[in-house]
Amino acid sequence: MTPRRYLMCQPTYFAVDYAINPWMDPAVPVDTELAVRQWTELRDTYRRLGHTVDEIAPIPGLPDMVFAANGATVVDGIVYGAQFRYPERAAEAPAYLNWFVSAGFTTHAAKEINEGEGDLLLTDRFLLAGTGFRTELAAHAEAQELFGRPVITLQLVDPRYYHLDTALTVLGGTNVAYLPDAFSPASQRVLAQLFPNAVLSTPDDAAVLGLNAVCDGTHVVLPVQARGLADQLAAKGLVPVPVDLSELLKAGGGPKCCTLELRTP
Ligand code: ARG
């Protein structure tokens, strides 16, 4: 495992006040204090595993700001800002960019709609880029020009898996786990060519957002409910680290959504 640096945002103002994905139902009550306890456990888990966690201050009126993965994409210290699909989350993009400026990063505001690491996932060789629900195809080209990493476009087709990081997990630098049915038939063929030894998730494990996981090369922090996936990962020699984020699942989020990796050269 290599020690990582992550950015997280405490869910102080977490709520489900609007519905921009099929997981969100404003009629279902949310326990914000429980969300904070679960999130704190996730943060402390990363620290126990030897990682550094930075925190961005939450802003009232931005209930989804806890999902830091959407705030930007950071590769080789280059920060590509987000630009959100829905107006409910629009103000998060400048909030995250401001954090990066004060942390000393050079930032690049996005011209195209993209939801950060929700749809842009890095392997050693590629930047895997989802589209279909949130991030625009044009943002894939924008990211490739900015980072100089080959971008592989993947078409998402199931509204429950609206971000790439709900349907696919990067395992170390060279392999992935994913739910084939979340992708178009052609994108499934692309994934099969690039990752012949991939872990294929069952629909049941994906349906508890089991693929919304964070791997440091050795450990995979994933939702506790995804037991089958944990066994599959263990069979590959990885160490599953289960966490319970049941409150955040009500907004369609899991561990990876709460975690933005700060990759510096
Ligand atoms: N409610 C949020 C939205 O729909 C959840 C975002 C989850 N983040 C992620 N990286 N998948 O935008």
Side-chain angles (χ1 to χ4, degrees):
M1 87 90 167
T2 34
R4 310 287 168 126
R5 183 177 174 198
Y6 298 129
L7 179 62
M8 298 180 69
C9 180
Q10 184 174 293
T12 317
Y13 307 107
F14 176 64
V16 179
D17 295 336
Y18 50 78
I20 56 172
N21 70 52
W23 303 82
M24 302 176 86
D25 179 356
V28 172
V30 165
D31 182 341
T32 304
E33 279 173 30
L34 178 56
V36 171
R37 285 201 299 279
Q38 293 177 332
W39 176 92
T40 303
E41 183 56 34
L42 174 66
R43 185 200 59 193
D44 294 349
T45 297
Y46 289 136
R47 289 183 175 157
R48 259 198 312 276
L49 294 175
H51 305 303
T52 302
V53 180
D54 286 296
E55 291 186 43
I56 177 174
I59 297 174
L62 295 176
D64 275 336
M65 195 173 167
V66 57
F67 300 119
N70 302 129
T73 306
V74 188
V75 177
D76 302 325
I78 301 168
V79 180
Y80 176 41
Q83 191 182 313
F84 285 85
R85 163 77 54 187
Y86 296 112
E88 289 88 341
R89 299 195 64 185
E92 294 179 42
Y96 276 92
L97 272 193
N98 287 340
W99 184 88
F100 280 103
V101 170
S102 34
F105 288 82
T106 304
T107 59
H108 301 263
K111 292 195 192 70
E112 310 293 344
I113 293 176
N114 83 88
E115 297 199 349
E117 281 215 337
D119 277 319
L120 298 171
L121 297 177
L122 191 72
T123 72
D124 285 353
R125 295 174 62 205
F126 310 112
L127 188 60
L128 303 177
T131 189
F133 297 100
R134 301 290 181 89
T135 296
E136 293 280 357
L137 204 50
H140 296 186
E142 191 176 25
Q144 178 164 285
E145 280 306 302
L146 185 62
F147 295 130
R149 301 279 189 134
V151 167
I152 303 289
T153 289
L154 298 168
Q155 194 73 41
L156 296 164
V157 296
D158 182 333
R160 285 176 304 166
Y161 308 112
Y162 55 93
H163 277 143
L164 182 61
D165 73 356
T166 63
L168 182 144
T169 311
V170 175
L171 302 172
T174 54
N175 203 7
V176 297
Y178 64 97
L179 174 70
D181 284 347
F183 297 90
S184 69
S187 291
Q188 289 182 37
R189 293 203 295 278
V190 170
L191 285 168
Q193 286 168 60
L194 295 180
F195 305 106
N197 301 315
V199 173
L200 301 184
S201 167
T202 63
D204 284 350
D205 285 324
V208 291
L209 287 188
L211 290 162
N212 196 251
V214 177
C215 181
D216 63 15
T218 299
H219 312 97
V220 186
V221 176
L222 84 172
V224 64
Q225 296 83 358
R227 290 182 218 289
L229 183 62
D231 291 343
Q232 286 175 281
L233 296 171
K236 288 268 185 193
L238 293 160
V239 181
V241 180
V243 292
D244 190 1
L245 291 180
S246 59
E247 285 312 295
L248 297 172
L249 189 59
K250 295 174 179 173
K256 168 63 206 159
C257 298
C258 296
T259 313
L260 177 56
E261 187 167 348
L262 309 179
R263 300 182 191 84
T264 43

